Amino acid sequence: IFFLSCISTLPVLLLLLVSTPLTSGAQLPNQGQDKDLPIATNGEPFPWGRMRLPTTVFPLHYDLTIHPNLTTLDFTGVVRIQLDVREDTSAIILHAKHMQISNVLLLAPEGVRPLRLLEYPRFHQLGLLSDSVLIKGRKYEVQLEFAANLSDSFHGFYKSSYRTSSGEVRVLASTQFEATFARGAFPCFDEPAFKANFTIQIIREPRHIAISNMPKLKTVELPGGLLEDHFDTTVKMSTYLVAYIVSDFLSVSRTTQHGVKISIYAVPEKIDQTAFALDAAVKLLDFYDDYFDIPYPLPKQDLAAIPDFQSGAMENWGLTTYRETGLLFDPDKSSASDKLGITKVIAHELAHQWFGNLVTMEWWNDLWLNEGFAKFMEFISLDITYPELHVDDFFLEKCFEAMEVDSLSSSHPVSTPVENPTQIQEMFDDVSYDKGACILNMLRDFLTPEAFEIGIIRYLKRYSYQNTVNSHLWESLTNVCSSDDLDEGRMEHKEFCSKRDLDSGASWYSGDELDVKAIMDTWTLQEGFPLVTVEVRGREVRLSQERYLKTDDPSLTEGFLWQIPLTYMTSASNTIHRFLLKTKTDVLYLPEDVDWVKFNVDMSGFYMVHYAGEGWNSIIKVLQHNHTALTSNDRASLIHNVFQLVSIGKVKLDTALELSLYLSRETEIMAVTQGFGELVPLYKLMEKRDMAALENQMKGYIVDLFRGLIDKQEWSDSGSVSERVLRSYLLLFGSVRNYPPCLTKATQLFKQWKDSDGNMSLPVDVTMAVFMIGARTPEGWDFLFEKYRSSLQMSLKSRFKAAMAYSPLQDKLKWCQSLHGEVMKTQDLPGVVVSVSKNPHGYKLGWDFLRANWNTLIKKFDLGSSTISHMVTGVTNQYSTKEMLDEVRSFFGSLTEETGSGMRCIQQAYETIEDNIRWMDNNLPLLQAWLDKHNYCILDK
C-alpha cells in the first residue's frame, strides 16, 4: 500500500512460536488444553486459542467463484481449497469474517463427507472438524459456500460508486485485502506465509466487466442472462494480494518491451485522463524487469482507478488499484506536483510486484521489507526513468517526516512484534515506509550502489515465491562479490566486483570485517534514531551518540547504541570522509586545521548532528557568506537539525533563528521548503492561543525572509518540476499571508476566472493561490463549490477542496465536514478534517467533528489504520495549551479497547501536545526578544 515500545531484540524465531504446531499425532491443534480453549458461537469449545493460525495444514490451491449483486449489494460464492496436511489433525483452522458459511465438505481420497463447523468471531476464525484424522503428508480438499454483504467500508469486497456528468449514480464492487481483509471476502488462510495459487471465476451481468489478477481465459453464459468469467491461475502468492473488480470501466492498453500487456482502467468519462499513467507504467515495469534481473512473472499488469479508495494505491499482483487522484492526469489542468505524485505512486506499486509480491515478509512485524523497499525504489527508479522530475529534491522530506514520529517515546522499532489486526494496521506508518526507505538509502550509500544492487538481486532470486525475515536481507547483502553470485550475475556486476578487488581504495571498509546484520539490527530492532554530537578541538574531533528524543524524562534515552555510518566533509576538502561509529564515544583526527566540518553529507544517514562548542557558529558563518559551499541537501539538513535541537534544549532558539537569516538568499526547493517547515509551525502554535501581536510579528519575519524569492516568481507554468513546485508553494504562502503583490494578483486572477465562469485557462502552478483567496468570500466559496461538484478533473477537484477547507467562513467549514458523501467523497473526509483543523478559523471545528463522529469514523476507516492515525495526530498536533491537552486526554481516555483506546496515535497526540507546551514555555520570551532586536514589526494584518 502507498499511503511504541522498548527495545525488542527477540529473535524472529520467537515471533513465529505463536503458530508452531503441537507434536506429531495431535488430533486437534490445542488437544489437552480444553480448559484454556475459547468458546465458539454455539457454546462448544473452539479447537484453537491463538490469534495466529496453526501450521498443521497449509493451502496449496484455491478454486474461488464469486457472484456479486450490484443491485442488492451482496455477494455469494463457493471456495474449494486444496490442503497439504503437515501434522496429523482433526481440525482445520482458517479465517472468515462477517459471512454466512454453509455446506462445508471434506473431499478426501476415500470420498466426500460433511465437516462440522465452529466459529470464533473474536479472532475471525472457523474450525472445520473431521470425524476422522487427516493424515500427515496426504492431500485433501475442503469446500465451503458463503454469503455476505458488500462492505460499506473501504476494505474487503466493498461497494464503490460514482456520479456521471448527467447525474446518474453507478455502482461497482472492488477489493482491498491488505492487511487482514481477504477473510471478509472468502474463507481463507489469511496470513502472508500461507501462499497458494488461486483460480478465480466471477459471475456478473452483461452490462459489467470483471477483472482480476490474471488474464481472462473465457466467458461462459449462465441461465438467467448472467455471464461467468474464468481467469487463469495465479502464481503462488499471499491472500492479501488477491483482487477482483466488477464495474463498467473502460481501458486503454500497451505492451512493454518485455511483452507484458499494460492496461489502465477508469470510469468511462475519465478514460481520457489515463495516457500519462499508461506511459509511466510501461516505462517503469520495463525498468524494474531489467534492474532486478528477474522477468515480471505475469502476462499482464492492470492499473485501475477506483472512485472510492482509502489509501493511495494497492499492489495486488497483476491488478494494482489506485485512488483516481493517484492515476488520472490531465496535461492541461494537472500540476507539476500531480505529475510527480502519480509517477511516484505507480513506481511504488510496481516495485511491490517484486518486493512484497514475489518475495513477501513472513509476518507483518517485518512489513518494512515490503513498504520501506517500495518507498525507496520510488526514488531509485524515477531518478533513472524520469530524470526531469528531479525526484532527489524530495527524498529528504521523507526522512524528516519519519524523524518526527521516531523522536517520540511512543515510536516503535522498524521490525516490531504485532499480533492482532489493529496492531498490524498500525504498522502502515511513517516508520515502516519512510524510515525504512531512509535506512535502506543509508545502507546503499555505505555499501556503494553497485554492491547494494547485487545484494538485493541476490535476495529476490534466492527467496522468489517465499517468505522472508530481516536476517535474510542482511545475509544477501553480505559478501556480495562471492563466486556463486558472479557465476549467475550480470556483466556489469562482474565488472564491479573485479574492479573492487583490484582497487582497495574503492570502499571504506574491509569486506571481511563487514557485518551488515550487526549494523542494521541496531537500526531495525530498536526504535528511535541517534543524535551525534561533534566537537572540534583543533584537529581532534570528539564524537558521541545518544538517542534523540522529545521528552523531559532523560531515563528514556538510556541504553541505546547504534552502529552509525558517519560521513563528513570539511572546509579544506570536497572529499567525503567515512567512519563507522560503533561506540558511545570516539575521536577522529583531521589531517589539517579547518574552518568547519559538516557531518552526514547530503543527509544520507538517518541521524541528526549537533555541533558543540563553536560548531554552530562556524556553520552559520559559512551559510551567511558562501552558502553554496554546501549542497542544498546539506543546507536543508542543517536547518532541520538546528531547529529540532531547540526542542530538546541542545541549541538556543536565537542560534537557530540566526541560521535562518541566510534563507533570504536561498533558491533551492529542499532548503526553502525546510525553512518554511521549521518556521511556519511556530506561528501555527500561536494561532491556537490569544497572542496575535507575536504571531503576526513571526509571520512578518517569514514573509520578509522570502520576499525576494517570492518577487522573482512569474505567475506562469515555466521551469523544471522543482521550480514549478516551489513557485506554487511560494505564491500560495505569499497570498495566504496577505503579501500585497501576491494578494493583489491572486484577487485579480480569481475575479477574471470567475467572470469567465471558470473557462479562463489559469496557469496550473498558481491555481492554489488563486482559489485560496477566492474562497475567502461567500460568493467565491459558492462558485468554487459548484465547480467542485461538476468537475471530472481529479487534481483540479483536489485544489478546489483544499481551498474551500481553508476558508475563514465558519459556516462553510462546517459543510466541508460531512459524512454523507453525496458531493464530497467520504474517502476525502479525513484530509478535509485535518485541513480544517490547520485553519486558524476552524481548528476547534475539526476537533469537535472528530469527537462527535468517532464511532462512525473508526467503523468506516478501521481501527489502527493510517487514516485514523492521520486524523488523530493531524487534528491535535498544533495544540499547545494545558487546557487543550486536558480536553484531548479526557476524550481519548474515555474510549474502550474496542473503540481504540490502545492505539499508538493517541499516545503520539499526547506527546506532541506536551512537547508543544514545553516549547512555548521555554522559547516564547526568546522569540519575542529576537524579533524585537531585528525590528520585525507586524507586517501581516
Side-chain angles (χ1 to χ4, degrees):
I1 295 180
F2 190 74
F3 120 65
L4 296 165
S5 46
C6 32
I7 303 175
S8 169
T9 52
L10 276 175
V12 177
L13 188 59
L14 284 180
L15 303 180
L16 303 179
L17 283 180
V18 289
S19 59
T20 304
L22 300 182
T23 55
S24 180
Q27 292 197 1
L28 294 176
N30 269 4
Q31 191 180 39
Q33 301 178 37
D34 282 12
K35 65 180 187 298
D36 300 322
L37 290 181
I39 302 301
T41 51
N42 67 353
E44 293 182 37
F46 189 79
W48 184 246
R50 300 174 191 172
M51 184 79 69
R52 298 278 296 276
L53 296 179
T55 53
T56 46
V57 174
F58 267 73
L60 298 172
H61 182 268
Y62 292 78
D63 250 308
L64 174 64
T65 300
I66 293 271
H67 179 198
N69 186 321
L70 299 191
T71 305
T72 57
L73 302 180
D74 54 19
F75 62 93
T76 56
V78 58
V79 64
R80 183 184 290 194
I81 312 172
Q82 186 184 356
L83 302 172
D84 176 26
V85 178
R86 306 266 175 106
E87 301 289 341
D88 290 357
T89 186
S90 301
I92 299 161
I93 312 297
L94 70 165
H95 288 113
K97 181 181 178 184
H98 297 158
M99 57 174 60
Q100 296 82 48
I101 308 293
S102 59
N103 295 335
V104 183
L105 301 174
L106 178 70
L107 288 68
E110 53 274 14
V112 178
R113 61 179 188 268
L115 292 170
R116 204 151 56 86
L117 173 68
L118 296 178
E119 298 183 60
Y120 185 53
R122 185 182 168 212
F123 290 171
H124 312 149
Q125 288 172 359
L126 301 178
L128 312 183
L129 274 57
S130 169
D131 293 337
S132 56
V133 175
L134 308 183
I135 307 299
K136 176 181 176 180
R138 293 178 68 177
K139 303 288 191 288
Y140 298 83
E141 286 187 310
V142 290
Q143 182 173 299
L144 306 93
E145 294 179 21
F146 56 93
N149 292 321
L150 286 171
S151 170
D152 60 0
S153 66
F154 296 98
H155 41 258
F157 192 23
Y158 70 94
K159 182 201 99 166
S160 175
S161 65
Y162 69 95
R163 192 182 295 272
T164 67
S165 55
S166 64
E168 179 192 356
V169 174
R170 295 186 181 175
V171 174
L172 60 133
S174 182
T175 58
Q176 171 59 45
F177 291 164
E178 191 174 31
T180 59
F181 302 117
R183 65 192 65 173
F186 61 97
C188 58
F189 295 79
D190 198 15
E191 294 181 6
F194 289 95
K195 289 190 171 187
N197 304 96
F198 296 81
T199 305
I200 295 172
Q201 291 85 235
I202 298 176
I203 299 170
R204 60 177 171 88
E205 295 177 74
R207 65 192 173 111
H208 293 130
I209 64 163
I211 51 178
S212 186
N213 304 83
M214 296 298 286
K216 185 170 68 176
L217 296 178
K218 64 178 179 180
T219 299
V220 177
E221 290 190 22
L222 301 179
L226 295 173
L227 301 175
E228 184 178 70
D229 292 328
H230 291 237
F231 296 91
D232 204 353
T233 301
T234 70
V235 294
K236 189 179 173 187
M237 66 187 200
S238 304
T239 49
Y240 76 86
L241 296 170
V242 174
Y244 36 87
I245 301 168
V246 178
S247 69
D248 67 342
F249 287 177
L250 297 180
S251 67
V252 294
S253 303
R254 266 181 47 202
T255 303
T256 69
Q257 291 176 3
H258 295 83
V260 178
K261 183 182 179 184
I262 307 275
S263 302
I264 313 287
Y265 285 83
V267 304
E269 289 182 303
K270 296 175 185 173
I271 198 67
D272 60 348
Q273 298 176 45
T274 56
F276 178 75
L278 185 59
D279 285 345
V282 168
K283 188 183 285 193
L284 285 159
L285 201 72
D286 273 330
F287 167 79
Y288 286 134
D289 229 309
D290 293 333
Y291 183 89
F292 296 135
D293 198 30
I294 299 171
Y296 175 72
L298 307 186
K300 63 95 174 175
Q301 167 67 232
D302 298 336
L303 298 84
I306 311 296
D308 298 279
F309 202 81
Q310 181 168 334
S311 55
M314 176 62 205
E315 67 267 20
N316 317 299
W317 216 345
L319 172 53
T320 51
T321 48
Y322 301 76
R323 271 197 182 208
E324 290 184 321
T325 48
L327 203 62
L328 304 179
F329 182 85
D330 181 336
D332 296 324
K333 296 194 172 68
S334 298
S335 66
S337 57
D338 293 331
K339 177 182 278 192
L340 179 67
I342 289 168
T343 320
K344 280 171 65 179
V345 73
I346 294 172
H348 183 101
E349 302 314 326
L350 295 187
H352 270 311
Q353 307 301 299
W354 284 264
F355 279 102
N357 300 9
L358 184 67
V359 179
T360 313
M361 75 268 135
E362 177 83 31
W363 181 242
W364 299 106
N365 62 303
D366 279 329
L367 173 70
W368 86 278
L369 288 173
N370 284 16
E371 297 300 351
F373 252 112
K375 177 62 66 178
F376 171 70
M377 288 307 302
E378 289 173 36
F379 293 89
I380 297 298
S381 61
L382 296 189
D383 190 41
I384 296 166
T385 55
Y386 285 89
E388 71 274 15
L389 293 179
H390 297 293
V391 72
D392 276 357
D393 285 346
F394 303 93
F395 185 74
L396 272 200
E397 179 186 13
K398 298 290 117 192
C399 302
F400 295 150
E401 286 170 6
M403 285 178 164
E404 187 69 27
V405 175
D406 214 22
S407 64
L408 304 175
S409 61
S410 51
S411 186
H412 64 92
V414 168
S415 178
T416 197
V418 288
E419 180 98 340
N420 64 51
T422 299
Q423 292 170 346
I424 292 167
Q425 286 282 88
E426 287 188 305
M427 290 297 285
F428 291 82
D429 68 355
D430 287 346
V431 173
S432 295
Y433 283 71
D434 296 342
K435 182 179 179 179
C438 294
I439 63 174
L440 287 170
N441 185 60
M442 176 172 68
L443 182 60
R444 180 176 184 255
D445 181 69
F446 178 86
L447 295 174
T448 72
E450 298 88 350
F452 183 83
E453 186 181 343
I454 295 169
I456 62 173
I457 290 168
R458 175 201 280 183
Y459 169 77
L460 289 171
K461 287 185 173 179
R462 186 178 287 176
Y463 297 106
S464 290
Y465 304 103
Q466 297 178 58
N467 297 82
T468 58
V469 296
N470 263 349
S471 56
H472 293 141
L473 178 62
W474 309 143
E475 288 159 13
S476 300
L477 285 161
T478 301
N479 297 325
V480 295
C481 291
S482 67
S483 57
D484 289 348
D485 290 289
L486 292 182
D487 291 342
E488 300 172 13
R490 301 190 305 209
M491 182 53 67
E492 60 266 37
H493 291 166
K494 296 175 185 177
E495 289 172 357
F496 163 73
C497 289
S498 59
K499 178 181 184 299
R500 208 172 75 146
D501 290 340
L502 291 169
D503 182 5
S504 59
S507 190
W508 53 299
Y509 58 83
S510 159
D512 295 336
E513 297 168 7
L514 180 66
D515 187 343
V516 174
K517 183 177 185 301
I519 295 169
M520 296 309 294
D521 278 354
T522 69
W523 295 94
T524 59
L525 299 182
Q526 59 184 351
E527 72 268 30
F529 60 90
L531 167 64
V532 176
T533 298
V534 175
E535 186 168 9
V536 180
R537 296 188 180 180
R539 295 186 187 177
E540 185 179 273
V541 182
R542 298 187 178 185
L543 305 169
S544 63
Q545 62 161 295
E546 63 191 291
R547 182 182 176 188
Y548 176 91
L549 191 64
K550 291 180 178 176
T551 179
D552 50 4
D553 182 354
S555 69
L556 294 175
T557 64
E558 293 168 5
F560 288 83
L561 187 70
W562 285 265
Q563 293 198 24
I564 311 172
L566 295 179
T567 53
Y568 63 98
M569 55 188 296
T570 72
S571 57
S573 160
N574 285 328
T575 304
I576 298 176
H577 303 275
R578 302 176 183 271
F579 178 75
L580 187 62
L581 179 64
K582 294 182 177 183
T583 50
K584 198 82 176 167
T585 59
D586 212 328
V587 180
L588 284 173
Y589 295 94
L590 303 173
E592 57 203 315
D593 289 332
V594 296
D595 295 327
W596 53 264
V597 179
K598 165 66 173 73
F599 273 78
N600 202 359
V601 177
D602 280 333
M603 202 169 158
S604 58
F606 194 73
Y607 58 94
M608 285 191 203
V609 183
H610 171 42
Y611 299 91
E614 285 299 302
W616 278 112
N617 291 335
S618 62
I619 294 284
I620 289 168
K621 281 180 193 164
V622 183
L623 291 173
Q624 286 176 342
H625 297 107
N626 182 24
H627 67 277
T628 55
L630 297 163
T631 67
S632 62
N633 272 7
D634 274 331
R635 302 195 299 268
S637 71
L638 287 167
I639 296 163
H640 173 265
N641 286 193
V642 76
F643 276 95
Q644 294 303 311
L645 290 168
V646 172
S647 292
I648 61 168
K650 292 276 187 185
V651 170
K652 285 203 172 300
L653 177 62
D654 48 6
T655 301
L657 291 167
E658 289 295 327
L659 185 144
S660 75
L661 285 168
Y662 106 88
L663 283 164
S664 62
R665 293 185 303 284
E666 184 59 83
T667 58
E668 296 291 331
I669 184 168
M670 196 63 240
V672 171
T673 54
Q674 198 52 40
F676 278 111
E678 299 298 340
L679 293 167
V680 168
L682 306 191
Y683 75 68
K684 297 302 287 183
L685 292 178
M686 297 175 212
E687 284 178 347
K688 317 298 182 290
R689 294 181 172 205
D690 186 17
M691 48 193 329
L694 181 58
E695 172 196 326
N696 287 323
Q697 226 178 328
M698 185 67 202
K699 290 173 179 174
Y701 169 57
I702 304 172
V703 170
D704 204 56
L705 198 56
F706 294 106
R707 183 195 304 266
L709 194 55
I710 293 171
D711 288 344
K712 287 179 188 166
Q713 303 306 309
E714 298 175 0
W715 291 67
S716 72
D717 286 337
S718 60
S720 69
V721 168
S722 294
E723 287 166 342
R724 292 183 61 186
V725 172
L726 183 58
R727 171 189 299 125
S728 195
Y729 195 106
L730 289 165
L731 295 180
L732 174 61
F733 176 79
S735 300
V736 170
R737 288 280 62 82
N738 299 326
Y739 177 49
C742 291
L743 183 60
T744 302
K745 183 72 172 176
T747 305
Q748 173 199 343
L749 285 173
F750 185 78
K751 182 179 184 307
Q752 292 172 354
W753 179 73
K754 182 172 176 286
D755 289 346
S756 76
D757 195 29
N759 295 316
M760 171 187 163
S761 182
L762 287 170
V764 178
D765 296 347
V766 310
T767 50
M768 201 65 250
V770 172
F771 297 158
M772 280 280 196
I773 296 307
R776 288 179 170 182
T777 67
E779 309 76 48
W781 196 97
D782 290 342
F783 185 75
L784 286 166
F785 173 75
E786 285 307 317
K787 291 301 168 190
Y788 175 82
R789 180 152 55 184
S790 61
S791 176
L792 292 170
Q793 211 291 317
M794 300 316 298
S795 57
L796 199 54
K797 282 177 83 84
S798 292
R799 292 196 285 282
F800 290 147
K801 186 178 66 204
M804 291 190 294
Y806 208 74
S807 170
L809 308 169
Q810 289 221 356
D811 57 325
K812 303 296 190 184
L813 295 180
K814 285 178 183 171
W815 175 88
C816 283
Q817 301 185 131
S818 164
L819 274 162
H820 299 307
E822 287 161 12
V823 178
M824 185 182 71
K825 285 281 189 184
T826 306
Q827 65 171 15
D828 297 328
L829 179 66
V832 170
V833 172
V834 171
S835 294
V836 169
S837 302
K838 305 287 187 229
N839 182 337
H841 303 280
Y843 71 94
K844 282 289 286 187
L845 294 176
W847 170 237
D848 291 343
F849 179 87
L850 185 71
R851 284 188 298 180
N853 297 282
W854 180 257
N855 289 332
T856 306
L857 291 167
I858 60 173
K859 186 178 177 188
K860 186 75 176 175
F861 297 107
D862 213 62
L863 270 188
S865 68
S866 56
T867 307
I868 294 293
S869 174
H870 176 59
M871 273 196 283
V872 169
T873 56
V875 165
T876 60
N877 66 10
Q878 291 178 352
Y879 295 154
S880 64
T881 63
K882 178 76 166 56
E883 293 74 24
M884 279 311 299
L885 177 61
D886 290 344
E887 203 171 298
V888 170
R889 280 192 184 279
S890 173
F891 173 68
F892 288 126
S894 72
L895 300 180
T896 63
E897 188 177 346
E898 290 71 33
T899 55
S901 63
M903 286 193 298
R904 187 184 293 125
C905 60
I906 292 172
Q907 297 307 315
Q908 291 171 341
Y910 297 160
E911 280 193 70
T912 300
I913 300 171
E914 288 165 353
D915 177 53
N916 291 344
I917 294 169
R918 266 197 310 275
W919 196 99
M920 297 291 264
D921 289 348
N922 294 338
N923 292 296
L924 279 184
L926 272 171
L927 179 61
Q928 182 75 69
W930 191 86
L931 290 170
D932 289 346
K933 175 183 159 191
H934 286 76
N935 297 318
Y936 283 103
C937 54
I938 300 172
L939 299 178
D940 182 45
K941 304 292 183 245

